[in-house]
Amino acid sequence: QIQCNFIVVIHPGSMTLRIGRATDTLPVSIPHVIARRHKQQGQLTFKDSWLLREGLNKPESPEQRQNGLKMVDQAIWSKKMSNGARRIPVSPDQVRSYNRQMRPAILDHSSGTKWTNTTHHPAYLIGEEALYVNPLDCYNVHWPIRRGQLNLHSGPGGSLTAVLADLEVIWSHAIQKYLEIPLKDLKYYRCILLIPDIYNKQHVKEVVNMILMKMGFSGIVVHQESVCATFGSGLGSACVVDVGDQKTSVCCVEDGVSHRNTRLCLAYGGSDVSRCFYWLMQRAGFPYRDCQLAKRTDCLLLQHLKETFCHLDQDLSGLQDHEFQVRHPDSPALLYQLRLGDEKLQAPMALFYPAMFGIVGQKMTSLQQRSQGDSEDPHDEHYLLATQSKQEQSAKATADRKSMSKPGGFEGDLRGQSSGIAENLYPPEVELGTSHSDCIIGGNDSEEQLTAHMSRKTAVSQFEGKALGLDKAILHSIDCCASDDTKKKMYSSILVVGGGLMFHKAQEFLQHRILNKMPPSFRRVVENVEVITRPKDMDPRLIAWKGGAVLACLDTTQELWIYQREWQRFGVRMLRERAAFVW
């Protein structure tokens, strides 16, 4: 029996790293950020942005924002309050003049917060310390993960090597400081790594290599966040909706298997809501005029204001007076009065009407991509497709159509022999959609199959350019399930995890929208649409990590471990062999 206190569970998010021993009740949560000291004097300072992103300042952005806001206002007006009355809309003009004349009160001449002390010139700073590095200090600030993927870019620190080095330093620092494990002892420990459902194979391979070969863990199990979320909440099956700071992912999980063609990743999350709330408050004459989205301290403040004020409760209407404090290093503590109307409800509704984010010309929706192939793993699905005869292909296509109605047929079930070769012989791509033509392309490029393949490609790229609202994404994901039985299961178990939808009354709001939009045929047969936002009364941000800890202690996990010496010898082929999902 493996000792769970010698297993470290790592759940790396875009905003927060959660890490702890599998036996810990709660993980340590730290901002997933590093500040690195400049190597030379006079070097230009580079900072990864947080609330700012590409595509916000396009000529079409303001109009798109306004259109999104119109749709939100229409939705707010059309849904009655619980007493049957309509909400009385509040225009920002009513509060603007009041907010504009507000001047802050000085609470204290010192704010009580300080910039991180760097007099001993540390080479790097992690987490909170990195967030509070004085912008005038000679440090570059990097977030190694953005929108759930490795943050590769052409700027300083944006190469794959640099990002992996950042991850290694942040994780090693957290293990030493918070888990109090000396790095030289990691050879006695194993690691469970949570990865996104739509993952980049090359990146997962590099991170696994870093954990085993550089950090020196003795073994690793890699598993998907959504499946871990079902373990953490104790649900057998669920449509898992993970709303993070930077991205929102949706997919349907059944008995420990995430169905590949139900996976969607939306390129927006909590930080977009914070920025949208700031825009709405500015329209209402936000009294803290020095606020800047490029400053980390202001980003922290805006995130706090969103978490404090925003809600999804149709019954809270009319004007309300609020106050908030601004406590920045090297400045006095200030108290502001602020009057707000509908802004607090409009901002979180942008998750359902993402046009309101004003993001133009960016890829907003991703589906599971085909892998590009890996020279170290020659016997992958491309090889299998290329070596099949036409009879095998047509027989396989028929078998796949049948297995589509028997869910769980494709992926090594956690309870079954997950490392068996059998399921690895079948390319997983049949799950990508209902069009089987592109499974057959490998060996026989007849005209019509190619056109079917191409038309699917254009459909996918058109689909990916659009930003789907959260409710539409959930309906789309459930609709991609193989059988009506599975769809029914998913409607009655929609699990919301992550920190991006923790608004008052979010559960009722989402439930109402799904009920209103689901296909009528299902409305008759699904007894109850259930949205679960706090399973077992747990913090939704920790559920996936908790599931990783559950996985660590299961008997069936024993055959999933990939050990350092095996990785050295076989490399990425071990992931195809051992992963509890189709690699």
Side-chain angles (χ1 to χ4, degrees):
Q1 178 56 35
I2 180 160
Q3 290 175 300
C4 294
N5 55 336
F6 280 90
I7 299 178
V8 174
V9 180
I10 303 179
H11 183 196
S14 310
M15 166 76 198
T16 310
L17 165 70
R18 304 188 202 284
I19 189 166
R21 287 180 172 82
T23 45
D24 294 342
T25 323
L26 300 171
V28 173
S29 301
I30 59 169
H32 206 178
V33 61
I34 182 171
R36 285 188 179 272
R37 192 172 167 72
H38 289 175
K39 299 248 188 326
Q40 294 101 16
Q41 292 240 298
Q43 203 176 315
L44 281 176
T45 298
F46 175 85
K47 296 184 184 70
D48 274 331
S49 58
W50 177 5
L51 291 188
L52 289 171
R53 58 182 292 174
E54 294 286 308
L56 291 172
N57 297 321
K58 294 283 194 302
E60 307 86 5
S61 294
E63 189 189 349
Q64 192 167 306
R65 263 187 214 107
Q66 291 297 344
N67 288 343
L69 183 56
K70 271 192 200 126
M71 290 192 281
V72 165
D73 284 338
Q74 178 59 43
I76 291 175
W77 190 83
S78 63
K79 184 178 174 227
K80 289 184 176 157
M81 299 195 290
S82 55
N83 62 7
R86 295 252 179 232
R87 271 180 71 106
I88 293 145
V90 180
S91 89
D93 313 337
Q94 291 172 260
V95 292
R96 199 178 295 132
S97 53
Y98 173 85
N99 284 333
R100 284 214 170 129
Q101 63 185 4
M102 279 297 139
R103 295 290 171 267
I106 296 178
L107 290 175
D108 193 335
H109 287 287
S110 123
S111 65
T113 50
K114 290 187 168 63
W115 295 119
T116 303
N117 177 5
T118 54
T119 44
H120 55 301
H121 304 313
Y124 59 81
L125 295 155
I126 307 293
E128 288 283 333
E129 291 188 332
L131 284 182
Y132 281 97
V133 163
N134 189 328
L136 305 171
D137 254 350
C138 317
Y139 282 85
N140 285 351
V141 178
H142 303 288
W143 297 86
I145 297 183
R146 298 276 82 175
R147 320 236 166 271
Q149 301 293 337
L150 297 189
N151 183 16
L152 306 185
H153 54 82
S154 53
S159 68
L160 181 57
T161 323
V163 170
L164 288 166
D166 286 346
L167 290 176
E168 185 184 343
V169 171
I170 297 172
W171 299 357
S172 301
H173 175 87
I175 287 169
Q176 275 178 294
K177 183 173 173 184
Y178 300 106
L179 308 187
E180 296 175 353
I181 301 170
L183 295 182
K184 64 175 186 351
D185 288 355
L186 286 183
K187 56 178 177 288
Y188 305 118
Y189 284 81
R190 304 182 197 184
C191 166
I192 292 213
L193 175 69
L194 275 60
I195 60 166
D197 299 280
I198 296 183
Y199 53 89
N200 177 316
K201 284 188 174 182
Q202 196 59 31
H203 294 178
V204 174
K205 172 180 125 178
E206 294 295 349
V207 173
V208 168
N209 191 59
M210 182 267 286
I211 289 173
L212 292 175
M213 306 318 296
K214 293 229 172 88
M215 292 176 77
F217 275 98
S218 66
I220 189 170
V221 166
V222 177
H223 215 334
Q224 293 160 305
E225 291 171 332
S226 64
V227 177
C228 290
T230 60
F231 293 159
S233 55
L235 295 169
S237 304
C239 173
V240 180
V241 183
D242 181 350
V243 190
D245 180 70
Q246 304 260 315
K247 64 123 172 86
T248 297
S249 52
V250 185
C251 82
C252 294
V253 176
E254 198 174 24
D255 302 327
V257 173
S258 146
H259 290 313
R260 180 180 280 234
N261 50 332
T262 65
R263 295 176 202 161
L264 280 175
C265 183
L266 312 165
Y268 58 75
S271 58
D272 297 283
V273 177
S274 303
R275 192 185 56 250
C276 182
F277 187 43
Y278 175 51
W279 170 65
L280 291 166
M281 289 194 296
Q282 279 181 305
R283 290 173 77 244
F286 189 49
Y288 168 40
R289 291 185 194 48
D290 298 335
C291 188
Q292 285 176 25
L293 290 174
K295 284 192 194 158
R296 284 189 302 280
T297 44
D298 284 339
C299 290
L300 286 162
L301 172 75
L302 289 170
Q303 200 183 12
H304 171 70
L305 294 181
K306 173 195 73 175
E307 289 169 5
T308 315
F309 298 147
C310 288
H311 62 82
L312 283 166
D313 185 350
Q314 196 74 10
D315 292 351
L316 292 179
S317 65
L319 293 173
Q320 271 178 313
D321 287 343
H322 301 282
E323 55 181 39
F324 65 92
Q325 297 182 13
V326 177
R327 290 179 175 270
H328 288 343
D330 297 345
S331 5
L334 303 174
L335 179 72
Y336 285 90
Q337 304 293 324
L338 168 69
R339 185 172 286 175
L340 289 174
D342 290 343
E343 294 80 10
K344 297 169 291 186
L345 173 62
Q346 290 163 333
M349 282 183 69
L351 291 168
F352 300 88
Y353 297 93
M356 201 157 125
F357 295 137
I359 304 161
V360 175
Q362 298 291 302
K363 180 174 165 182
M364 294 303 287
T365 307
S366 319
L367 302 162
Q368 181 82 53
Q369 296 300 321
R370 289 202 135 195
S371 75
Q372 299 308 299
D374 187 323
S375 57
E376 290 173 32
D377 183 19
H379 297 107
D380 62 3
E381 61 260 40
H382 298 276
Y383 166 83
L384 289 164
L385 281 175
T387 52
Q388 282 173 341
S389 69
K390 288 184 186 179
Q391 285 89 342
E392 283 176 315
Q393 285 181 356
S394 57
K396 181 178 170 322
T398 325
D400 286 335
R401 268 189 214 100
K402 286 182 184 151
S403 77
M404 290 295 264
S405 60
K406 288 202 284 288
F410 342 100
E411 311 211 11
D413 195 325
L414 247 181
R415 298 166 320 210
Q417 63 322 325
S418 357
S419 56
I421 311 273
E423 61 268 16
N424 295 334
L425 288 176
Y426 292 101
E429 300 306 332
V430 298
E431 298 178 64
L432 251 173
T434 41
S435 136
H436 293 291
S437 56
D438 74 319
C439 305
I440 306 174
I441 267 181
N444 121 24
D445 289 343
S446 72
E447 287 301 305
E448 66 217 57
Q449 276 155 350
L450 265 178
T451 45
H453 181 62
M454 291 320 285
S455 68
R456 183 169 171 277
K457 265 208 153 127
T458 43
V460 164
S461 61
Q462 282 176 334
F463 181 70
E464 293 190 330
K466 288 202 180 71
L468 280 185
L470 187 55
D471 45 354
K472 289 210 175 84
I474 293 169
L475 292 164
H476 179 90
S477 176
I478 294 178
D479 192 49
C480 289
C481 286
S483 70
D484 285 0
D485 273 353
T486 308
K487 291 179 192 177
K488 271 197 278 197
K489 246 192 238 179
M490 297 305 156
Y491 277 119
S492 54
S493 169
I494 296 168
L495 172 66
V496 182
V497 296
L501 199 69
M502 292 171 65
F503 300 107
H504 173 63
K505 291 282 175 137
Q507 189 258 345
E508 293 87 341
F509 187 90
L510 180 56
Q511 196 155 328
H512 178 265
R513 287 195 71 97
I514 297 291
L515 263 170
N516 275 358
K517 287 193 155 72
M518 66 192 275
S521 52
F522 280 101
R523 214 170 296 164
R524 288 193 290 277
V525 290
V526 175
E527 282 83 60
N528 57 334
V529 167
E530 184 148 8
V531 172
I532 305 152
T533 50
R534 290 192 75 91
K536 304 180 184 165
D537 234 3
M538 284 197 311
D539 181 338
R541 292 170 294 193
L542 308 181
I543 286 171
W545 181 89
K546 204 78 184 148
V550 168
L551 177 71
C553 306
L554 289 178
D555 289 345
T556 41
T557 308
Q558 298 321 310
E559 59 218 34
L560 306 182
W561 290 105
I562 297 171
Y563 296 102
Q564 194 187 48
R565 55 186 183 278
E566 296 175 310
W567 182 264
Q568 251 170 321
R569 187 169 167 204
F570 299 109
V572 74
R573 280 173 288 177
M574 292 309 299
L575 278 165
R576 169 171 307 286
E577 189 71 17
R578 296 271 165 85
F581 50 92
V582 173
W583 171 254

